[in-house]
C-alpha cells in the first residue's frame, strides 16, 4: 500500500476533527481510503438517546457504497480534551462492515506503546478467527485460505 495515501488518510481524519470541532474538546472522526484513491471522512452526530448513536465510520462507509468503491483502508481517531489524539481500533460492528471488502482491508490500530501512533494491520490480522470462515461456500471476499 502507498504510504503517502495512508498518511493522507490519517491527515484527512485529523483535519475533519480540527475543522468540525475547533474547540479542542473531546471529539472524533474517521476516514476511509477508497480503491480509486478518494478519501472520505465522517463523524458521528450526537443523539439524545445514546443507544441510537452511530460510529464515526458510518458516513465514509456509506459514501463508499454510494460511489460503488471498495474500501482499502480505514482509520478512526479520537481527540481528547487538551488535544491528545488517540487511534481507535474499529469496533466489532465496524469490523463486520469492513469484512465485506475482504481480509486485506487495512485498519488503523494504536501502537501498543503509544496510542497516538497509527499502526496499519490487515483486517485478517485483527480478525484471525473470523466467524464466516466456517462457511467457505457462502463468502467470496477472500476470507477462505
Amino acid at each position: 500500500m502507498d504510504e503517502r495515501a495512508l498518511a493522507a488518510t490519517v491527515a484527512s481524519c485529523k483535519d475533519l476533527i480540527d475543522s468540525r470541532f475547533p474547540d479542542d474538546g473531546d471529539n472524533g472522526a474517521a476516514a476511509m481510503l477508497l480503491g480509486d484513491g478518494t478519501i472520505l471522512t465522517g463523524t458521528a452526530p450526537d443523539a439524545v438517546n445514546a443507544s441510537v448513536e452511530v460510529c464515526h465510520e458510518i458516513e465514509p462507509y456509506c459514501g463508499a457504497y454510494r460511489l460503488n468503491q471498495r474500501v482499502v483502508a480505514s482509520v478512526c481517531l479520537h481527540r481528547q480534551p487538551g488535544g491528545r489524539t488517540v487511534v481507535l481500533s474499529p469496533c466489532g460492528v465496524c469490523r463486520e462492515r469492513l469484512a465485506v471488502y475482504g481480509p486485506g482491508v487495512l485498519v488503523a490500530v494504536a501502537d501498543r506503546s503509544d496510542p497516538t501512533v497509527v499502526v496499519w494491520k490487515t483486517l485478517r490480522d485483527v480478525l484471525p478467527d473470523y466467524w464466516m470462515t466456517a462457511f467457505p461456500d457462502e463468502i467470496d471476499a477472500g476470507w477462505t485460505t
Side-chain angles (χ1 to χ4, degrees), residues 67-145:
L67 296 170
N68 196 29
Q69 287 291 316
R70 96 182 273 296
V71 175
V72 175
S74 179
V75 60
C76 185
L77 301 174
H78 181 82
R79 185 186 62 207
Q80 299 171 319
R84 182 174 185 239
T85 301
V86 296
V87 182
L88 300 180
S89 175
C91 72
V93 173
C94 288
R95 290 176 189 207
E96 284 294 327
R97 290 180 181 124
L98 292 169
V100 170
Y101 297 103
V105 173
L106 293 174
V107 295
V109 299
D111 182 273
R112 290 178 188 235
S113 62
D114 183 353
T116 66
V117 175
V118 171
V119 174
W120 292 101
K121 293 186 176 186
T122 65
L123 199 53
R124 181 183 297 283
D125 289 337
V126 298
L127 287 174
D129 300 307
Y130 185 52
W131 69 274
M132 278 297 291
T133 59
F135 306 100
D137 295 336
E138 295 182 32
I139 60 173
D140 61 358
W143 282 99
T144 56
T145 56

Side-chain angles (χ1 to χ4, degrees), residues 6 8-21 27-34 38-45 54-62 71 73-79 85-91 94 97-98 108 120:
L6 293 175
T9 304
V10 173
S12 293
C13 188
K14 286 181 180 178
D15 288 347
L16 175 58
I17 294 170
D18 292 340
S19 65
R20 174 62 182 86
F21 308 106
N27 294 289
M32 291 185 183
L33 175 63
L34 306 185
T38 301
I39 298 171
L40 298 179
T41 60
T43 189
V54 296
C55 301
H56 298 301
E57 293 93 338
I58 289 289
E59 188 175 5
Y61 179 81
C62 290
V71 175
S74 179
V75 60
C76 185
L77 301 174
H78 181 82
R79 185 186 62 207
T85 301
V86 296
V87 182
L88 300 180
S89 175
C91 72
C94 288
R97 290 180 181 124
L98 292 169
W120 292 101

